[in-house]
Amino acid sequence: MAGFDDGSGAYDFSPGAQVPLTGSGGGQTAPTQALASAAYRDGPVTDLLAANEGAKASAPRFSLFEPNLGEAFSHAVRTRMLGGARKAMIQSFGCEPQVVVEHCLAADRIRRERDARLTAVMVLFGVLFLPGVLLWLGGFQLRRTLAGSQDRRAGALGMGVIVALGVLAAVFVLRLPFTGFWAIYLRVMLVAPVVGWLLAKQICERYAKDLRSRWEGLLSGGGVGAKIPEAVPYAPGDAGAESIRLNLAKLAAEQRSNIVFYAGPRGILGMGPRWGSWQLAEELVPASPGTEINPFRSWDVARAIHDQLRMLERTPLHTGGFPKPSVRHWVAVHVGEGASGVSRPEGQNVEAYSYKEFEVQRICNEQQFDSGNRHYLGVQFVLWDGQLVLNMLISVTVLHHTLRIEVTGHALGPISSVFFSKPSPRKKTVSKSIRFWETKDIELPLIQSAEVVRLAVRAPLTWFPPVLDFLGGKLSLPEPFGLRHVWADRPWRHRFMADDTLRAATPVLRVVHAATLKVLKENNVDIEKFGARSLNLSGQVQAAEPGNADVYNAP
């Protein structure tokens, strides 16, 4: 049984209780690993914004609470794809979005463990000596604010504030005008935060090594699988874990959906823009005078093309050729170019976010003109370890006596190079003391002083995300959102990817035409004009050049 209604209106798409655990066998494509690695990264959020103009990061009210790249990415993806108010998702072809989400959950769990320890340090050394902590935090906040001006003198002034606080702490420790309890408290008040900072630094260093090892492991083709025990319900009333499990199942069902969205010049979301179009359109005439054409439907032609496209991997010569393609029937829904979101159809004809087969056949046969969804037969190649997604879509229409077979090419390029940068080692090269003509590398701490303070300040608010978002800002993902297409570049700058894209058009077009002519001949249709037009298109497609096929030069 594919799913059931639990009575609350929530449809369960999963086969039953499962333990979500991603091992080394899951998510081995390059985009999956690269996107998953973003959950473990450090560095500024601006690096992520450069990969997509639609992604926005709200300005922090206090820079000490500002999230880094990994924190912002994990929180945004987890909320967008598993949140209770989640919108419809776009399929991520050539990628496994569930694996990416699981790594975001795993990264958040690691950070929560770190923040629990940092919170204990803050309570012990911060709350009890709050005035001193506020003085130190004020100094660090002033330093970050001044350093953000990119002015060297301002940065030096900020460092001077920290040094002045250190001198003040030393003076308080050595000599104070007070005596008794308040003298002891004032001395400890300025020293205790420094002791807490030393403990916090050790905690941050240990977890930074763990996060960086997972980051590098994913980009190296291995890494540790994402374990998310919080998605396994431990009791019937464990609503949080049950919600995560159910939304992961919904995400997997959306990924398998046969409904796609055509966004005008942006092409099909998840498949990329349309770069080429070839049309075979001729009149349906009986093969012999005085006879009638045998009745057939558009679905008969589409089904015959489907059967022949599955043989694309076969070749008369012993060569590499095509890998095994994915051949599917799609239902395309039109959305505007600037649509802020999409909604998936519902009703008796839809099950698990997909149109049932009889409804796909009806759309293919009947909805060819005027309003409504459209049917496409697609052959998809996922190449370059998931970096290149090629889709050749075929539509069959019959209007009056004219049969039209249209073949269009869509291409989705590689993930932005931002996601493929590995963690750089923290070290500097200096001259040796004696043999000054030689150099040596000195290992630097993974976590700098300002970063320790930032993490320690954010830690107590980890359990209050709205407050943390208000103070530090958050990342807003572009809509309509899909993990794969929003971070993808075009393939035309990669020589071999561009060659593969153009080469796929000719054999696909010829298979489509051969299957069409066979069906027409079996149904007593004169194929002379169709054959001549097919030969003409076969010559044109050999000089295929990418263009903006969805952009019309209309007056």
Side-chain angles (χ1 to χ4, degrees):
M1 185 173 180
F4 62 90
D5 193 335
D6 61 5
S8 62
Y11 197 77
D12 189 350
F13 298 92
S14 62
Q18 301 178 48
V19 178
L21 173 60
T22 302
S24 59
Q28 289 300 309
T29 60
T32 303
Q33 304 289 61
L35 290 169
S37 72
Y40 303 104
R41 291 171 181 257
D42 45 40
V45 183
T46 52
D47 294 344
L48 192 63
L49 302 181
N52 189 301
E53 296 179 355
K56 305 294 182 182
S58 57
R61 286 173 171 79
F62 298 97
S63 58
L64 274 178
F65 295 93
E66 185 178 10
N68 63 18
L69 191 153
E71 294 165 346
F73 180 84
S74 298
H75 177 65
V77 170
R78 182 195 63 196
T79 304
R80 176 62 182 84
M81 306 188 82
L82 300 181
R86 66 189 298 273
K87 300 178 182 178
M89 305 297 302
I90 304 299
Q91 294 98 316
S92 299
F93 303 110
C95 178
E96 298 179 45
Q98 185 173 348
V99 174
V100 178
V101 175
E102 289 171 355
H103 276 284
C104 289
L105 290 172
D108 284 342
R109 180 176 55 82
I110 295 172
R111 292 188 177 101
R112 281 198 304 271
E113 292 177 358
R114 177 199 65 195
D115 292 342
R117 289 169 169 79
L118 291 177
T119 301
V121 173
M122 286 291 290
V123 171
L124 183 60
F125 294 94
V127 175
L128 297 178
F129 307 100
L130 187 59
V133 171
L134 293 178
L135 283 174
W136 282 105
L137 292 181
F140 275 98
Q141 177 63 56
L142 180 61
R143 179 192 175 191
R144 290 177 66 95
T145 303
L146 295 175
S149 66
Q150 301 299 323
D151 186 348
R152 184 174 299 177
R153 289 177 298 177
L157 178 60
M159 179 58 71
V161 173
I162 303 299
V163 173
L165 282 173
V167 173
L168 180 63
V171 171
F172 268 50
V173 171
L174 297 175
R175 184 177 181 83
L176 266 181
F178 303 103
T179 59
F181 170 78
W182 290 111
I184 298 174
Y185 181 79
L186 288 175
R187 286 187 172 95
V188 177
M189 179 187 73
L190 290 175
V191 177
V194 178
V195 178
W197 173 84
L198 292 174
L199 294 176
K201 184 176 182 181
Q202 295 179 1
I203 296 172
C204 294
E205 282 277 347
R206 183 166 68 251
Y207 281 94
K209 291 178 181 178
D210 186 13
L211 292 171
R212 281 185 154 237
S213 65
R214 294 170 184 267
W215 170 9
E216 185 169 9
L218 284 169
L219 294 181
S220 300
V224 181
K227 298 179 181 179
I228 47 173
E230 63 270 22
V232 182
Y234 290 97
D238 193 353
E242 180 63 20
S243 176
I244 293 176
R245 186 193 67 83
L246 182 59
N247 282 323
L248 284 173
K250 287 182 179 180
L251 179 61
E254 280 187 295
Q255 179 71 2
R256 295 190 298 266
S257 173
N258 62 1
I259 302 172
V260 293
F261 301 92
Y262 214 129
R266 295 176 60 185
I268 295 180
L269 299 178
M271 293 186 179
R274 185 172 65 165
W275 63 267
S277 176
W278 302 271
Q279 302 179 23
L280 171 66
E282 292 295 342
E283 185 179 6
L284 294 171
V285 179
S288 303
T291 60
E292 295 290 336
I293 295 175
N294 297 332
F296 67 93
R297 310 191 76 179
S298 300
W299 179 257
D300 299 326
V301 180
R303 187 65 193 177
I305 296 173
H306 174 275
D307 294 339
Q308 291 300 312
L309 286 175
R310 296 177 63 183
M311 307 298 178
L312 274 172
E313 59 182 316
R314 300 185 179 182
T315 174
L317 302 179
H318 185 65
T319 60
F322 282 130
K324 185 176 180 62
S326 171
V327 184
R328 292 189 65 185
H329 293 272
W330 301 100
V331 176
V333 179
H334 171 74
V335 295
E337 178 184 1
S340 60
V342 297
S343 59
R344 295 196 174 274
E346 299 178 351
Q348 297 180 349
N349 299 329
V350 179
E351 181 180 5
Y353 298 121
S354 293
Y355 274 117
K356 297 179 180 179
E357 185 175 355
F358 71 85
E359 178 65 10
V360 175
Q361 293 186 30
R362 187 195 68 80
I363 294 173
C364 177
N365 290 324
E366 299 178 10
Q367 292 186 197
Q368 301 179 0
F369 202 68
D370 204 4
S371 61
N373 303 328
R374 299 296 169 86
H375 167 268
Y376 287 96
L377 172 62
V379 53
Q380 183 179 94
F381 299 97
V382 178
L383 309 173
W384 292 87
D385 197 21
Q387 287 284 65
L388 177 63
V389 180
L390 300 182
N391 284 276
M392 302 295 294
L393 301 182
I394 302 98
S395 62
V396 181
T397 59
V398 179
L399 298 175
H400 193 49
H401 294 287
T402 300
L403 170 68
R404 178 184 295 271
I405 309 294
E406 183 176 8
V407 180
T408 59
H410 296 256
L412 192 68
I415 290 292
S416 174
S417 59
V418 170
F419 293 93
F420 288 93
S421 61
K422 293 185 178 181
S424 56
R426 298 289 176 84
K427 62 181 181 180
K428 66 177 181 179
T429 302
V430 298
S431 301
K432 291 184 178 180
S433 301
I434 305 300
R435 297 182 178 182
F436 56 86
W437 57 89
E438 297 181 1
T439 60
K440 63 179 180 179
D441 293 332
I442 299 178
E443 295 291 335
L444 300 175
L446 289 178
I447 300 295
Q448 298 178 352
S449 302
E451 179 66 5
V452 175
V453 175
R454 187 191 70 85
L455 293 174
V457 170
R458 284 175 54 90
L461 298 178
T462 302
W463 289 269
F464 307 98
V467 177
L468 201 56
D469 293 343
F470 175 80
L471 295 175
K474 63 178 181 178
L475 175 67
S476 299
L477 299 172
E479 295 289 347
F481 182 71
L483 270 174
R484 178 69 170 84
H485 79 278
V486 297
W487 312 114
D489 294 329
R490 293 194 175 188
W492 311 115
R493 295 183 179 179
H494 191 294
R495 178 68 269 170
F496 294 159
M497 286 188 184
D499 289 343
D500 290 344
T501 303
L502 300 179
R503 288 168 182 166
T506 304
V508 171
L509 186 71
R510 288 175 176 169
V511 168
V512 170
H513 288 177
T516 302
L517 294 177
K518 182 180 179 182
V519 173
L520 295 178
K521 189 174 182 180
E522 291 174 350
N523 289 279
N524 195 35
V525 177
D526 184 2
I527 63 172
E528 182 179 355
K529 291 184 179 180
F530 283 97
R533 177 63 177 166
S534 175
L535 291 175
N536 185 26
L537 287 176
S538 182
Q540 292 180 13
V541 76
Q542 293 187 53
E545 296 179 358
N548 295 322
D550 277 315
V551 180
Y552 299 95
N553 296 321

